[in-house]
Amino acid sequence: MLAGFASRNNYGVTLESQEGLGTKVSLWIPVAKFFVPKEKMQSLNESSKSFSVAVIDDEQEVVDMVQEMLTLKGHKVIPFTKSNDAMNWIRDHLAEVDIILCDVVMPGPIQGQHIYRAFKDSKPVVLMSGFNNLAGIDISIDQILEKPFGFEQLTEIINSAINLEAGSS
């Protein structure tokens, strides 16, 4: 499982084992691709509005990381690790959401493409994925946020999606 997870996310794995002593497993995760200097972060924070963002990903660590980045930006985050819960909550509280950020591939019958189709006509939906090849995913959108991503990249895609939505209204 670990090797598959590491491979899908372009991470590295090393194993060290000594009989009688045990096994050490190391997961090598790259640092963020983008570093945001303090001055740039302040200008990003000053230059855009605050939004309510529904974040949907089956990996709690991803939800936590995205929530931390968005909270630093001043956004309100509504976190979900189960796509079914997210789908139901968003349907019932659509007016409380400005944008939806959703993983493409999740366990269960409700995938990112279903969230996208359900809400794309009423709210901006940004899909994110750690997979390099999305063949077989029945979706045709222009932009997918590729994991891993950094603060600046996340901020830019949210602002872009909100601005595109505002322009089409």
Side-chain angles (χ1 to χ4, degrees):
M1 263 177 37
L2 181 62
F5 172 78
S7 176
R8 282 192 311 273
N9 291 289
N10 295 322
Y11 297 166
V13 176
T14 56
L15 296 170
E16 298 173 37
S17 186
Q18 290 185 348
E19 191 173 319
L21 293 176
T23 302
K24 176 182 175 182
V25 179
S26 299
L27 178 61
W28 298 90
I29 301 173
V31 296
K33 289 182 181 179
F34 300 95
F35 170 74
V36 183
K38 187 177 180 180
E39 302 77 28
K40 177 77 172 175
M41 191 161 110
Q42 286 172 341
S43 72
L44 284 169
N45 284 335
E46 293 166 1
S47 66
S48 62
K49 295 176 12 180
S50 176
F51 302 110
S52 178
V53 184
V55 177
I56 310 160
D57 197 297
D58 58 299
E59 296 181 43
Q60 184 68 53
E61 298 82 13
V62 172
V63 172
D64 292 344
M65 182 223 24
V66 172
Q67 183 168 9
E68 184 176 334
M69 286 195 284
L70 292 174
T71 301
L72 281 172
K73 183 76 179 89
H75 298 305
K76 176 185 174 194
V77 176
I78 305 132
F80 298 95
T81 55
K82 293 183 171 68
S83 56
N84 188 50
D85 293 347
M87 178 79 86
N88 293 331
W89 189 92
I90 294 169
R91 277 193 179 133
D92 293 342
H93 301 90
L94 190 60
E96 298 174 39
V97 176
D98 294 313
I99 185 168
I100 301 164
L101 181 62
C102 183
D103 192 14
V104 173
V105 179
M106 295 179 281
I110 299 177
Q111 301 293 310
Q113 61 190 344
H114 302 109
I115 301 282
Y116 176 78
R117 281 196 204 101
F119 302 111
K120 71 180 176 72
D121 293 331
S122 46
K123 298 292 176 178
V125 180
V126 173
L127 295 178
M128 54 186 176
S129 179
F131 291 104
N132 293 332
N133 181 0
L134 293 175
I137 302 296
D138 180 26
I139 197 156
S140 58
I141 64 167
D142 295 330
Q143 195 165 10
I144 292 181
L145 183 59
E146 292 182 27
K147 297 176 191 172
F149 49 83
F151 179 82
E152 189 171 358
Q153 192 177 12
L154 179 62
T155 298
E156 287 174 1
I157 199 162
I158 286 178
N159 288 337
S160 174
I162 292 282
N163 290 335
L164 286 174
E165 180 71 15
S168 66
S169 303

